[in-house]
Each structure stands twice: as C-alpha cells, then as structure tokens.
Amino acid sequence: MTAPRATKTRTPKIRENLPAPQTDEGLYFHYTPYEAARWAPFSGRTIADMIARREIDYVFNGRDNYLTGAQILALVERYTVKPFAKTARATVAA
C-alpha cells in the first residue's frame, strides 16, 4: 500500500497591475517576494529564502514579509556587476 498523493500544489498569488518599483507609487508599494521577483535578479523562492536568512532588508507586518519598491531597487543595485574600467595608468602603458 502506498501513501496518498497530494492533489494540489500551492502556488503563490500574484496580484495584477502592480506599479513598477522605480515609479513614485511603486517606491513605497509592498510587494510579496514572488511579486518582487519580476524585477529582481532572483526567483521568488530565493528572495523568500534570503528574507528568512535575514540577508536582505524587508518589511514584516506581523504575518507576511514584503519588499518595498525602494528595497527592490537597492537589491538590484547591490547585485549589479559594473563593467571594468581601465585606470589611466593602464591606458598609458598600452
């Protein structure tokens, strides 16, 4: 005899018509980790795990974790790789 199988998989609810984080309305809007993943360089699950490990700033309302638009922009900026710029000394030697 085998164990019964689950009939449903839990999928996070994602609201529609969300403001972009870089807009005036979006800077203070509260996004769930799965909604924030649309603009961030990570998946919703990874963002939720980062929140659980306290690696990134987030908003806790007593029950759920959220990210504001400003926090999403800071997260994107933190993990953006800047192009390498040659120093003046390197260009003179070449």
Side-chain angles (χ1 to χ4, degrees):
M1 182 173 226
T2 60
R5 299 186 72 194
T7 56
K8 290 185 179 180
T9 58
R10 186 169 186 264
T11 57
K13 290 189 176 185
I14 297 177
R15 297 171 285 183
E16 295 181 17
N17 301 326
L18 296 172
Q22 61 269 24
T23 62
D24 291 336
E25 181 185 356
L27 284 177
Y28 298 106
F29 189 84
H30 288 78
Y31 302 89
T32 65
Y34 292 93
E35 293 169 346
R38 181 175 174 186
W39 292 282
F42 302 106
S43 68
R45 176 59 190 251
T46 302
I47 293 172
D49 290 343
M50 292 170 81
I51 288 172
R53 291 189 304 260
R54 309 290 196 264
E55 293 178 3
I56 59 174
D57 294 333
Y58 65 97
V59 177
F60 180 67
N61 72 348
R63 188 181 87 175
D64 298 318
N65 298 319
Y66 294 99
L67 289 125
T68 63
Q71 290 169 332
I72 295 169
L73 294 177
L75 180 67
V76 169
E77 183 67 27
R78 178 178 172 189
Y79 287 97
T80 299
V81 178
K82 305 289 184 192
F84 177 73
K86 293 184 180 181
T87 61
R89 187 175 195 186
T91 56
V92 172

